[in-house]
Amino acid sequence: MPIDMSQFVQVFFDEAEEGLAEMEKLLLAANVDSPDGEDLNAIFRAAHSIKGGSSTFGLANITEVTHVLESLLDRIRQGEMVLTTQLVDAFLTTKDVLKMLIEGHRHGAAVDLEAVANAQVLLRTFLNTAPATAVNKSVTGNAGVIPAMQFSIVLPQVNERDLQALEQELGLLGKISKNKSPDANWTFTLTTTSSRQDIVDICAFIVDEHALKIESLTTISATEKVTDEEREQGFGFFMQLPENTAEAKVHHDETHDEHGADKKTAKGGAHESSSIRVGIEKVDQLVNLVGELVITQAMIEQRSSGLDPMAYEKLINSIHQLQRNTRELQESVLSIRMMPMDYVFSRFPRMVRDIAGKMGKRIEFITHGAATELDKGLIERIIDPLTHLVRNSLDHGIEMPEVRQAAGKNPAGTLSLSAEHRGGNIIIEVSDDGGGLNRQKILAKAIQKGMNVSETMTDIEVWQLIFEPGFSTAEQVTDVSGRGVGMDVVKRNILAMGGIVDIKSGEGFGTTISISLPLTLAILDGMSIRIGNEIYILPLGYIVESLKPLAEDLKDISGQGSVIKVRDEYLNIIPLYKVFNIEPKVTDPTKGLVVILESDGRKAALFVDDLIGQQQIVVKNLESNYRKVAGISGATILGDGGVALIVDVAALLRSSKQLSEETVFS
């Protein structure tokens, strides 16, 4: 029976893309004056794994590129080449080419063959012109010295094909020999400068790590030289100090990852956790099924609410237990869809580096909260808006070095991306210490475009003008930004995700754009309201407060409609029954309730008959199941099986003035 290799190819593509992303991250963080040996090893392992996998599946063009890349990395680890900025640039270019090739094989995407050829020529140029005697002391720690260890690797019984493959792969690390023991196990003797973990990483493709037995036998004399024959066999691919030296111990103790964990410890403990790859469609199906379970549980709870608590005590207790278990199950399933913001943030260091270099600017890029998690559906949709905001900060926000220096600033500007949880939302901020927004310039541009603006507008209202379609104060158009296309799309996309955009800026001090998003699109905390016989849901994040109006607080203002005074602030009143053409129970605000809503710096008072209560709801897409309805962002199923519509608060507030002008209370 033939083996279907397609599933294995897809796994290779996934792992190759992860390896390329890690490679780019490490290259961007590399200090060319004193590169970290462990990071260089990780870059090499990524290239080596991609080369091995592509060779296995017959992807010759990927194999050819990674072979040359691997050879260059080999020389750097042997101390025969010094890592330079030009080499880092070449490696990053090669990474882009490899990603393009992978996309070509995986999805049939177009491949620029000229770019592939140019990348190979560029790498070979470095390979052929590298001085053979150059030694990178920061990597080897001792010029010309190649410390090595001899390992004994005892394998469990494996078939001949796997044995040959393993011998070939281990042979890349150094001199290797094998013999068969009486118990039918195989023992490799490997002389290498690689670490024990490097050996484990290779063997793990074929043999379970726990079944391996690896022992250090001897240390090769520091004065012993590597012969040309040994080098051709692959000896010395990883230049690393032996683990038993004091210098190596200090190095490991002082090297931490972004969470403060020791890198060596993190690698050594990798076998303690495991993961499986599951298609997102299966996760979505699971989320939908749990959502249906939540609705069913709510129905049972509502229909049991009229039972005698004494006569049905055990049944009611069981229903409460079901409620708790359902909530825990719901939270656990939703957490499967959550991804760290690093998935987004990791895309920007390279972009910032390239754009800054092209524009002649010096930028220090900082991220905070990369481990903060967000729903996968949202995290993929936030990439484009954030990309535009980052490009805008680079182009319009941060000044040229000479301008900054003249203003008494550091010639290098700072651009930061941060993410943190606040309540049921995630707050993402793009901040720069550039020139900030110019209020007068924005107002002048708005007047030129015929927009209804005035000098009495608050800064918050003025800053929101930059989100208007076609609005740009750039004096010249660049290939980065300046056409006035994009910021309106940014805001529209964020609002479509149930988010809010806020801007804070100080002229000469910089700008911060904050995006507030719900953690997931599947679950929503909402307030149930009643108008006539209908029930609607207001997303809780938009609600400021609710109150019963007093007659003396209600005013009719010519041209403004009806307003209510709330703590010396007059707010437009929006009668929801007129918005959706519903017969209400009351038309006098003093006999009903108003809910104060806020979005994008706008506030309004929503007039409703009554509040039912707060609850967590499962959001259903109305557009895909029915059609798009103006003023409605989705729907949910209530405990009694009825459908309640979710009000699009942001859209409602944008049209609040027009609605209030048409309102007449009886």
Side-chain angles (χ1 to χ4, degrees):
M1 180 180 177
I3 299 175
D4 180 13
M5 297 294 288
S6 61
Q7 57 180 318
F8 302 111
V9 176
Q10 293 305 317
V11 172
F12 162 71
F13 287 144
D14 288 338
E15 292 180 347
E17 289 186 349
E18 290 170 3
L20 290 175
E22 181 67 12
M23 183 190 298
E24 181 178 81
K25 179 180 178 182
L26 293 171
L27 285 170
L28 291 171
N31 181 350
V32 293
D33 296 324
S34 180
D36 182 276
E38 192 168 341
D39 287 346
L40 291 175
N41 286 342
I43 297 170
F44 175 85
R45 279 195 293 268
H48 180 70
S49 296
I50 295 171
K51 175 190 171 183
S54 61
S55 177
T56 300
F57 296 111
L59 308 178
N61 47 13
I62 296 179
T63 306
E64 290 171 5
V65 175
T66 49
H67 175 72
V68 188
L69 175 63
E70 191 181 48
S71 299
L72 271 173
L73 292 169
D74 172 25
R75 288 200 175 186
I76 293 173
R77 277 149 189 73
Q78 291 190 44
E80 295 179 359
M81 290 181 66
V82 177
L83 185 67
T84 63
T85 302
Q86 291 76 17
L87 271 171
V88 171
D89 290 339
F91 292 156
L92 289 171
T93 300
T94 306
K95 175 262 170 186
D96 292 339
V97 166
L98 288 171
K99 184 171 177 61
M100 177 177 62
L101 287 171
I102 288 170
E103 288 296 309
H105 286 292
R106 189 174 196 175
H107 303 297
V111 174
D112 186 345
L113 297 179
E114 185 178 353
V116 176
N118 289 341
Q120 286 183 278
V121 170
L122 178 63
L123 292 178
R124 289 188 186 280
T125 300
F126 282 109
L127 197 62
N128 296 333
T129 59
T133 57
V135 177
N136 187 346
K137 296 182 181 181
S138 62
V139 179
T140 63
N142 189 358
V145 175
I146 303 178
M149 293 289 292
Q150 197 170 60
F151 292 95
S152 169
I153 309 161
V154 180
L155 300 170
Q157 296 182 25
V158 294
N159 61 52
E160 187 65 26
R161 180 180 176 183
D162 287 344
L163 186 68
Q164 291 177 359
L166 199 55
E167 183 177 9
Q168 183 178 4
E169 289 295 313
L170 288 172
L172 293 174
L173 300 184
K175 290 181 63 176
I176 189 168
S177 62
K178 73 174 188 293
N179 60 77
K180 197 170 187 178
S181 59
D183 57 3
N185 287 339
W186 284 95
T187 300
F188 286 109
T189 302
L190 176 67
T191 304
T192 179
T193 55
S194 301
S195 68
R196 183 184 187 280
Q197 185 60 43
D198 295 327
I199 299 171
V200 170
D201 290 343
I202 287 179
C203 294
F205 285 102
I206 295 174
V207 180
D208 188 279
E209 181 179 342
H210 303 290
L212 281 173
K213 183 181 179 183
I214 303 177
E215 294 180 354
S216 302
L217 299 178
T218 60
T219 303
I220 295 178
S221 170
T223 59
E224 185 174 334
K225 301 295 183 181
V226 182
T227 66
D228 291 337
E229 181 184 359
E230 288 170 333
R231 183 169 288 114
E232 288 174 2
Q233 293 175 354
F235 184 62
F237 263 49
F238 297 91
M239 301 318 305
Q240 182 171 312
L241 288 170
E243 299 290 337
N244 58 348
T245 66
E247 186 174 352
K249 186 177 188 301
V250 172
H251 172 76
H252 282 304
D253 288 347
E254 294 177 353
T255 304
H256 294 74
D257 62 17
E258 63 176 338
H259 303 292
D262 180 79
K263 284 188 177 181
K264 184 182 176 186
T265 304
K267 286 185 178 181
H271 68 276
E272 295 176 4
S273 62
S274 59
S275 62
I276 58 173
R277 295 183 184 272
V278 179
I280 190 63
E281 66 280 353
K282 292 184 178 180
V283 176
D284 289 341
Q285 183 182 14
L286 185 59
V287 170
N288 290 335
L289 287 173
V290 171
E292 296 298 328
L293 178 62
V294 170
I295 293 169
T296 304
Q297 176 269 322
M299 289 180 179
I300 294 173
E301 186 176 10
Q302 181 169 328
R303 291 171 184 175
S304 64
S305 59
L307 297 177
D308 184 341
M310 297 299 293
Y312 297 95
E313 180 183 3
K314 291 184 178 180
L315 175 61
I316 292 173
N317 288 340
S318 297
I319 292 172
H320 289 164
Q321 181 65 38
L322 174 63
Q323 180 187 25
R324 289 191 293 272
N325 292 344
T326 304
R327 173 61 64 91
E328 290 175 4
L329 177 61
Q330 184 183 50
E331 291 174 353
S332 297
V333 170
L334 287 176
S335 69
I336 298 174
R337 282 186 55 95
M338 304 298 276
M339 295 178 63
M341 283 299 296
D342 187 53
Y343 178 83
V344 178
F345 287 0
S346 61
R347 299 166 183 258
F348 293 109
R350 174 71 183 283
M351 187 183 82
V352 171
R353 180 181 187 272
D354 292 347
I355 293 177
K358 183 185 296 184
M359 301 183 71
K361 294 184 177 181
R362 293 168 58 187
I363 308 290
E364 181 182 0
F365 183 63
I366 303 170
T367 61
H368 303 283
T372 307
E373 293 187 328
L374 181 64
D375 183 90
K376 177 179 170 61
L378 288 171
I379 216 165
E380 291 176 342
R381 291 168 61 179
I382 197 62
I383 291 173
D384 286 344
L386 280 182
T387 299
H388 192 89
L389 294 178
V390 168
R391 291 170 71 91
N392 241 33
S393 289
L394 290 170
D395 195 5
H396 303 308
I398 298 177
E399 314 95 325
M400 295 295 289
E402 58 271 17
V403 175
R404 293 179 60 86
Q405 204 157 12
K409 292 183 175 181
N410 187 326
T414 300
L415 175 63
S416 68
L417 266 177
S418 66
E420 65 171 327
H421 287 158
R422 293 182 194 167
N425 294 328
I426 184 173
I427 309 298
I428 305 168
E429 292 187 343
V430 181
S431 301
D432 67 66
D433 64 348
L437 297 177
N438 187 314
R439 176 186 171 93
Q440 294 306 318
K441 199 172 183 179
I442 293 174
L443 285 174
K445 186 67 175 181
I447 293 171
Q448 180 186 332
K449 291 178 67 66
M451 299 171 64
N452 184 21
V453 297
S454 69
E455 289 290 343
T456 60
M457 294 174 66
T458 65
D459 283 347
I460 293 176
E461 292 172 327
V462 173
W463 304 152
Q464 289 293 324
L465 293 175
I466 69 173
F467 291 112
E468 293 297 322
F471 195 96
S472 176
T473 59
E475 296 177 0
Q476 62 182 12
V477 174
T478 70
D479 58 353
V480 177
S481 61
R483 293 180 172 81
V485 178
M487 291 300 279
D488 59 321
V489 178
V490 166
K491 184 172 181 180
R492 187 164 65 245
N493 289 346
I494 291 170
L495 292 177
M497 291 184 276
I500 301 170
V501 190
D502 182 39
I503 301 178
K504 296 176 183 176
S505 184
E507 191 167 352
F509 295 96
T511 302
T512 297
I513 299 181
S514 299
I515 300 170
S516 176
L517 293 172
L519 291 179
T520 176
L521 290 174
I523 300 296
L524 179 72
D525 284 316
M527 177 68 72
S528 302
I529 58 173
R530 191 187 303 277
I531 302 97
N533 295 322
E534 301 293 332
I535 294 176
Y536 291 89
I537 305 294
L538 296 176
L540 209 58
Y542 293 104
I543 298 176
V544 178
E545 61 181 315
S546 60
L547 53 91
K548 193 171 184 65
L550 300 175
E552 57 266 30
D553 292 330
L554 300 172
K555 305 289 182 184
D556 285 326
I557 300 177
S558 177
Q560 295 292 324
S562 297
V563 298
I564 180 173
K565 183 180 180 182
V566 181
R567 284 186 287 279
D568 297 326
E569 183 179 9
Y570 286 94
L571 305 176
N572 291 329
I573 296 179
I574 305 176
L576 198 59
Y577 72 91
K578 286 202 170 186
V579 175
F580 296 129
N581 195 24
I582 298 170
E583 184 66 33
K585 289 186 178 179
V586 295
T587 56
D588 182 354
T590 60
K591 296 180 181 178
L593 292 171
V594 294
V595 182
I596 310 301
L597 304 174
E598 182 175 13
S599 173
D600 294 338
R602 296 186 179 96
K603 279 187 178 181
L606 189 68
F607 171 42
V608 300
D609 289 351
D610 194 13
L611 299 182
I612 298 175
Q614 179 181 337
Q615 65 185 99
Q616 193 173 54
I617 60 173
V618 179
V619 180
K620 299 292 183 181
N621 189 308
L622 189 64
E623 190 172 351
S624 61
N625 291 292
Y626 175 53
R627 63 178 174 82
K628 187 172 181 60
V629 178
I632 298 298
S633 61
T636 189
I637 300 175
L638 301 173
D640 60 2
V643 175
L645 300 178
I646 303 169
V647 178
D648 187 345
V649 174
L652 197 64
L653 294 188
R654 286 197 296 272
S655 58
S656 61
K657 184 176 180 181
Q658 293 84 347
L659 290 166
S660 63
E661 288 173 348
E662 300 170 1
T663 302
V664 180
F665 294 104
S666 57

